[in-house]
Amino acid sequence: MSYPFYEIENKWRKYWEDNKVYKTDLSDDERKLYCLVMFIYPSGAKLHCGHWYNYGPTDSWARYKKLKGFNVFEPMGYDAFGLPAENYAIKTGVHPYDSTMTNIADIRNQLKNMGCMYDWSTEMMTCVPEYYKWNQWLFLQLYKKGLAYRKNAPVNWCPKDQTVLANEQVSSDGTCERCGTVVIKKNMTQWFFKITEYAEELLSGLETINWPEETKVKQTNWIGKSIGAEVTFKLENSNKEIKVFTTRPDTLFGVTYVVLAPENEIVLDITTPEYRDGVVKYMDSVKSLSEIDRTSTVKEKTGVPTGAFAVNPVNGEKVPVWIADYVLATYGTGSVMAVPGHDERDFLFAKKFNLPIRKVILKPGTQESDELTEAFTEVGTMVNSAKYNGTNSADALEKIIKDLEVEGKGTHKINYKLRDWLISRQRYWGTPIPIIHCPKCGEVLVEESQLPVELPYDVEFSLKGESPLAKNEKFINVKCPNCGTDAKRDPDTMDTFVDSSWYYFRYLNPKISDAPFDKALTDKWVPVDMYVGGREHATMHLLYARFIHKFFRDLGLTKSDEPFKTLIHQGTITNQGAKMSKSKGNVVNPDTFIQDVGTDVFRLFLMFMGPYEMGGDWSDKGISGTERFVLRNYELFKKYENILKNTSNKEKFNIDELSEAEKSVYKKINQTIKKFDEEINQFKFNTAIASLMELNNELSKNFEVCSDELKAYTLKRLVVLLGPVAPHLAEECNKIIGNDKTLFENPVWYAQDDAALIENSVKVAVQVNGKLRDTIDCPINSTQEEVKALVFANERVTKHTEGKTIVKEIYVKNKIYNIVVK
RNA sequence: GCCGGAGUGGCGGAAUUGGUAGACGCGCUGGACUCAAAAUCCAGUCUGGCUCACACCAGGUGCCGGUUCGAGUCCGGCCUUCGGUACCA
């Protein structure tokens, strides 16, 4: 016999669709469960195995919850703006709108064939004015609260193409991916969202959500809170000053120079004429370096002096001012005080350029006269630090900050590595920024009533020069809404992470036209209960979404503090060790497998592959295992066609009245229910399925001789367990055994009979010196004395203890008995 | 570089979170069924030693060291590899 998956799967998919089984009744939030997968980027590579791996198992979890009685909402949509569609347009001339729509149509088709419980009535895409209008609205709200602003920021610039490049378009050697020209950093005025305003809350909020620890740690490190002081160094012979941020004000007496980031705005102002050439040359050389290169701790340090001198506020000492690339303009104040004696990078820099190294904190157990061979960065006793000498450096740290504050030379300060969110892109395929630049009035907001600022279709795509919107006369030229003067629209579009930072609100009613989302519904359904997506989003998308959620809360649009209560990361499916991507040409298309073995088998295979959060390298080896699993189950149910109709219903059995074989089956089905429930609830699909396979093995041994009542009992339960992981098969088997009610329209879950799980004996492992010598069957909960009697009657054990002194005996109830001998 | 993961048989992986390492599946080997093959079913399968065999013994979770009666699991130091690193999403 073979398994007619094609007919079965099509039949049930059609049935579910025709009967609107997937449609969620959003008015019923009594047992609501919002289960969301990160929406899909509609690339030309279509749906690949990685997507299937993300969506299939998550849908199985959602189906499990549905069977358990939850009202589950599973939406699907398209993250449709973005760079690749625009690059494709430049390359082929196909308009991003057209290619995106084509891709969406294909992907929608593939998604529908997966047989997931998506509520297609709420399908959504971000590249239409109905959606992106609300990105613009969001922009205006942020602007009005002072959380959207413009400032200069460096971008990757290709001098040949005269265009901005994404990091992805810069090759690893720092050249333009298209033309090979060395890419430089160029400052441009850019829009930012002030995520830093929420830094503290983004940090503390992590404690309130059920997210993977690794992700919380990543976000914590990304936000990078550090506590210290901002200290002012006055410049000699100048009214200018340099503010530095330091986490170690206790080392202030050890400052022997000050370093500015090469991009720091005051660099050229303070550089003395004789150093000017060197400084300009150095600034230029830094332009082509990435931040990763610059901050590398293994890279040889570089830098040049400016000729200027700063005055150390604590001791009045004159120290030289340098510039060096290891100082970043984007962190802190863009300048650091250098303490080579107590900072590793400063130590290396000072050694290289022969700058003085001074010891101001004494390492415990060393002498003041000992030479420093490396930076000492821990706590010790203060030396060479005037009135602080002899005190503990941790105490001195606090004291020095207080003293600086009193003298007006510095302040207590908390710094974050987190930077404001740069949202403007010099590109076409995104949300236009709703700002008009007027020569008289400056930045003017587009009125809310005038939204959306529509993205014009008719634009020219070219590799070189300004972005398509900047070149589009009809779009860019506009009258100032304030004064009527000729003005220009902002030519930039928004980062697509803006789209994805609030989409989960809109899913509940994507057609609403007078608000970004339907507050009556979102008040009931948001936050999302389960959010599933890749860990590559740990620090960007997942942080931006939390930020915007908190902003909406502050506008009074939601009551919750966090968008995603529980988060799970699916692992990455790689192919030959590399992430699947169209550009690498290693994308595995699932469609051929679906044609060969059906979606249930494919879904089972993906889930059975390994731990969901781990992923793995793609291989279809072993798919026959899940094929056999499906076939075995199908044949089993076929064998007992209509058994529910012909057998009286029994919900519980007295285990003492069963035969040995029946007892074994009854125990196993109940153990399986428990195990499967626990495992699938935690997204442990591989072990959940393994438990079903164990049940199969048991049934192939002992099922035949069971009573019809027990057979009916078992099959009725097995079909429900199959429901989440092989939904089409389960629906079919449910019908075969004679149930008139469909599974997913009439969700049901059977709890295990706990009486069947009670064991009265247990195998205790017996070890001698930690080595297993035998296992002994003992009555459950035996005392040490009871077990000891059995242990020392056991030849395999005594063989290893004879003639030796027993030093110790350890007994762990129902588990292990270890004898230590000498 | 920095931040966060991962490393267990021929392969994918399991292990109640410090307590019998290798569940479940693939593959392979042998057997049953068949004229034969496929499919299916049954049995075996970490490595080495010694045995006709059962048994028994030793070793074994990337590497080195430590804690413990006991370590895949905890601690210290490495190696390899993957993801992110703020304009791919």
Side-chain angles (χ1 to χ4, degrees):
Chain A
M1 207 194 311
S2 69
Y3 175 58
F5 67 85
Y6 187 79
E7 294 93 276
I8 290 174
E9 292 187 349
N10 281 326
K11 178 175 84 186
W12 286 106
R13 228 167 9 243
K14 186 164 185 315
Y15 181 89
W16 291 328
E17 204 164 331
D18 291 350
N19 292 278
K20 298 202 161 32
V21 179
Y22 297 146
K23 178 91 188 82
T24 309
D25 175 10
L26 294 172
S27 67
D28 170 19
D29 62 314
E30 205 41 31
R31 293 258 284 162
K32 75 99 176 173
L33 195 144
Y34 188 169
C35 176
L36 182 66
V37 289
M38 290 182 185
F39 60 178
I40 185 164
Y41 178 74
S43 87
K46 314 282 163 12
L47 201 71
H48 58 66
C49 289
H51 294 113
W52 243 102
Y53 188 75
N54 184 189
Y55 307 151
T58 302
D59 177 65
S60 285
W61 184 84
R63 283 181 182 271
Y64 153 74
K65 288 291 180 186
K66 182 160 187 169
L67 291 175
K68 285 209 113 177
F70 287 89
N71 185 25
V72 180
F73 178 50
E74 262 193 289
M76 181 46 83
Y78 312 93
D79 187 12
F81 273 138
L83 179 68
E86 192 162 341
N87 286 340
Y88 186 72
I90 292 168
K91 224 162 113 187
T92 64
V94 179
H95 194 281
Y97 181 85
D98 300 335
S99 63
T100 301
M101 287 304 159
T102 309
N103 291 343
I104 286 177
D106 289 344
I107 288 169
R108 178 188 293 121
N109 223 353
Q110 284 181 298
L111 286 168
K112 288 204 166 176
N113 282 331
M114 288 179 70
C116 294
M117 296 197 302
Y118 298 130
D119 183 342
W120 289 104
S121 70
T122 65
E123 189 196 34
M124 200 168 68
M125 59 184 77
T126 57
C127 63
V128 292
E130 295 75 35
Y131 188 89
Y132 67 68
K133 168 182 178 177
W134 300 106
N135 284 339
Q136 295 170 340
W137 176 87
L138 166 65
F139 182 100
L140 298 182
Q141 308 314 310
L142 285 161
Y143 189 95
K144 287 172 188 166
K145 298 280 180 193
L147 296 172
Y149 67 97
R150 289 214 297 174
K151 70 170 181 191
N152 267 332
V155 291
N156 299 313
W157 182 258
C158 174
K160 181 157 172 272
D161 293 343
Q162 291 286 298
T163 190
V164 177
L165 298 177
N167 290 341
E168 202 191 41
Q169 297 171 295
V170 182
S171 307
S172 52
D173 62 352
T175 59
C176 173
E177 193 183 60
R178 291 163 175 155
C179 67
T181 311
V182 173
V183 173
I184 62 161
K185 295 263 184 274
K186 184 181 163 179
N187 265 332
M188 272 183 113
T189 312
Q190 311 255 33
W191 285 102
F192 287 83
F193 288 167
K194 215 172 194 172
I195 189 172
T196 51
E197 191 83 6
Y198 285 83
E200 197 56 47
E201 211 205 320
L202 287 168
L203 207 52
S204 60
L206 289 171
E207 286 162 31
T208 68
I209 45 184
N210 181 22
W211 282 22
E213 209 46 47
E214 51 162 305
T215 310
K216 291 191 191 180
V217 171
K218 273 189 240 177
Q219 289 210 347
T220 303
N221 293 338
W222 184 264
I223 294 167
K225 179 178 183 175
S226 47
I227 301 169
E230 195 167 274
V231 184
T232 307
F233 282 66
K234 289 208 164 16
L235 280 164
E236 196 199 27
N237 307 324
S238 161
N239 53 5
K240 289 204 160 47
E241 55 188 34
I242 296 172
K243 280 188 162 47
V244 303
F245 172 73
T246 177
T247 57
R248 296 295 304 275
D250 52 325
T251 64
L252 255 169
F253 287 86
V255 173
T256 55
Y257 57 98
V258 167
V259 193
L260 302 182
E263 299 88 345
N264 193 308
E265 282 167 3
I266 67 164
V267 170
L268 287 175
D269 294 339
I270 65 165
T271 301
T272 56
E274 62 270 40
Y275 288 97
R276 198 177 169 85
D277 285 351
V279 165
V280 169
K281 214 173 132 194
Y282 185 76
M283 286 169 76
D284 212 44
S285 72
V286 166
K287 279 186 183 167
S288 61
L289 288 178
S290 77
E291 217 161 271
I292 292 170
D293 294 332
R294 285 176 57 164
T295 52
S296 167
T297 50
V298 292
K299 188 193 116 205
E300 180 96 338
K301 294 272 170 293
T302 63
V304 291
T306 61
F309 284 84
V311 181
N312 188 334
V314 292
N315 57 11
E317 202 176 341
K318 267 177 36 183
V319 294
V321 179
W322 285 60
I323 61 170
D325 62 6
Y326 75 91
V327 179
L328 300 177
T330 46
Y331 179 69
T333 59
S335 31
V336 301
M337 58 183 225
V339 186
H342 305 282
D343 180 279
E344 280 161 34
R345 287 168 316 176
D346 297 344
F347 185 86
L348 293 171
F349 193 85
K351 277 276 178 201
K352 176 161 177 190
F353 294 105
N354 276 319
L355 290 155
I357 297 169
R358 185 179 304 156
K359 188 189 287 185
V360 291
I361 293 170
L362 196 59
K363 183 179 179 177
T366 65
Q367 298 295 313
E368 203 180 318
S369 53
D370 295 345
E371 206 197 327
L372 276 170
T373 51
E374 58 179 359
F376 172 65
T377 58
E378 282 148 57
V379 175
T381 309
M382 303 287 288
V383 291
N384 294 320
S385 300
K387 64 175 175 177
Y388 306 100
N389 282 348
T391 59
N392 179 284
S393 64
D395 301 335
L397 193 151
E398 298 298 328
K399 183 87 173 63
I400 289 176
I401 295 177
K402 283 203 184 95
D403 292 348
L404 285 168
E405 280 180 336
V406 169
E407 292 164 41
K409 292 170 175 172
T411 54
H412 175 82
K413 173 102 182 177
I414 292 173
N415 239 326
Y416 299 92
K417 283 210 186 78
L418 182 68
R419 314 207 282 250
D420 278 337
W421 176 12
L422 196 169
I423 61 112
S424 41
R425 301 287 181 269
Q426 291 69 51
R427 301 182 201 290
Y428 166 75
W429 193 229
T431 305
I433 290 173
I435 290 282
I436 291 165
H437 299 282
C438 169
K440 285 188 190 158
C441 315
E443 285 164 10
V444 181
L445 299 185
V446 173
E447 287 280 327
E448 280 183 30
S449 62
Q450 299 302 305
L451 297 181
V453 176
E454 278 207 43
L455 193 62
Y457 180 88
D458 203 12
V459 290
E460 208 186 298
F461 297 99
S462 94
L463 184 78
K464 295 181 180 189
E466 291 181 290
S467 72
L469 286 184
K471 286 185 287 195
N472 183 304
E473 299 288 325
K474 255 178 35 206
F475 173 85
I476 206 83
N477 294 317
V478 67
K479 300 280 181 213
C480 170
N482 263 355
C483 66
T485 313
D486 285 345
K488 287 199 185 296
R489 287 194 188 278
D490 198 289
D492 291 354
T493 53
M494 295 183 208
D495 180 3
T496 56
F497 278 127
V498 176
D499 313 358
S500 54
S501 64
W502 63 280
Y503 72 114
Y504 55 92
F505 279 106
R506 193 166 171 89
Y507 263 137
L508 291 150
N509 179 0
K511 295 185 184 80
I512 193 166
S513 59
D514 57 353
F517 49 85
D518 190 335
K519 193 167 179 296
L521 282 175
T522 57
D523 276 347
K524 289 178 176 168
W525 283 80
V526 171
V528 171
D529 297 282
M530 175 59 78
Y531 194 36
V532 184
R535 29 171 84 59
E536 66 271 21
H537 292 292
T539 48
M540 302 185 71
H541 161 59
L542 287 167
L543 203 58
Y544 297 146
R546 294 181 62 218
F547 159 50
I548 296 301
H549 191 95
K550 287 170 195 300
F551 175 66
F552 278 158
R553 178 205 57 198
D554 291 346
L555 289 181
L557 295 175
T558 185
K559 292 176 214 150
S560 47
D561 294 319
E562 292 284 342
F564 315 118
K565 262 201 265 183
T566 302
L567 173 73
I568 299 249
H569 296 303
Q570 85 279 11
T572 320
I573 300 298
T574 54
N575 192 12
Q576 285 153 346
K579 207 175 155 183
M580 285 188 197
S581 76
K582 204 186 175 187
S583 56
K584 283 184 200 123
N586 65 346
V587 173
V588 179
N589 188 323
D591 295 353
T592 52
F593 295 101
I594 308 306
Q595 279 159 28
D596 291 348
V597 298
T599 62
D600 280 345
V601 168
F602 190 65
R603 177 195 287 237
L604 278 163
F605 175 64
L606 291 177
M607 286 192 282
F608 188 61
M609 252 172 75
Y612 185 62
E613 292 174 68
M614 220 72 94
D617 206 41
W618 176 255
S619 159
D620 56 8
K621 245 170 113 177
I623 200 162
S624 51
T626 44
E627 238 184 309
R628 278 177 205 150
F629 172 76
V630 165
L631 180 65
R632 259 176 227 173
N633 279 292
Y634 180 65
E635 287 180 345
L636 178 70
F637 281 89
K638 273 295 225 194
K639 200 164 166 184
Y640 300 103
E641 207 154 354
N642 287 321
I643 192 161
L644 294 188
K645 288 200 167 133
N646 306 327
T647 313
S648 63
N649 185 43
K650 202 165 169 185
E651 291 299 329
K652 198 166 181 170
F653 290 78
N654 183 345
I655 199 150
D656 298 324
E657 291 167 7
L658 298 174
S659 70
E660 280 307 306
E662 287 174 330
K663 210 181 274 177
S664 179
V665 166
Y666 189 63
K667 274 187 169 183
K668 193 69 188 180
I669 178 69
N670 282 296
Q671 282 166 358
T672 306
I673 292 170
K674 183 166 188 278
K675 171 92 173 159
F676 183 87
D677 193 345
E678 285 169 359
E679 301 292 290
I680 197 165
N681 191 39
Q682 302 172 67
F683 272 69
K684 293 185 172 176
F685 304 106
N686 54 335
T687 46
I689 292 166
S691 75
L692 296 183
M693 288 173 168
E694 282 188 55
L695 174 63
N696 272 185
N697 292 340
E698 169 64 30
L699 296 185
S700 71
K701 274 188 217 129
N702 292 322
F703 201 51
E704 195 80 58
V705 298
C706 291
S707 66
D708 279 0
E709 280 176 333
L710 182 56
K711 279 176 181 154
Y713 172 96
T714 305
L715 294 178
K716 211 164 98 180
R717 281 157 180 76
L718 174 56
V719 92
V720 174
L721 298 183
L722 287 170
V725 294
H728 307 85
L729 170 78
E731 200 73 274
E732 181 71 13
C733 292
N734 182 55
K735 199 169 178 219
I736 290 171
I737 53 170
N739 199 342
D740 344 297
K741 290 181 173 175
T742 62
L743 207 51
F744 289 101
E745 281 174 303
N746 308 278
V748 62
W749 190 266
Y750 298 101
Q752 72 273 6
D753 174 6
D754 288 320
L757 305 179
I758 296 165
E759 297 288 346
N760 35 34
S761 80
V762 73
K763 274 197 167 104
V764 171
V766 185
Q767 301 181 332
V768 178
N769 285 349
K771 273 184 189 159
L772 181 72
R773 293 307 171 187
D774 205 358
T775 58
I776 312 182
D777 277 317
C778 301
I780 196 143
N781 296 333
S782 296
T783 63
Q784 176 155 5
E785 281 65 41
E786 288 161 348
V787 179
K788 183 171 182 164
L790 295 166
V791 165
F792 284 95
N794 185 304
E795 271 182 44
R796 295 191 193 191
V797 176
T798 50
K799 198 169 122 186
H800 294 275
T801 55
E802 255 164 31
K804 289 173 181 157
T805 322
I806 292 170
V807 182
K808 203 172 176 183
E809 285 166 64
I810 294 115
Y811 174 59
V812 181
K813 205 192 243 178
N814 300 329
K815 272 189 181 149
I816 206 155
Y817 199 105
N818 190 13
I819 306 162
V820 185
V821 297
K822 230 181 5 194

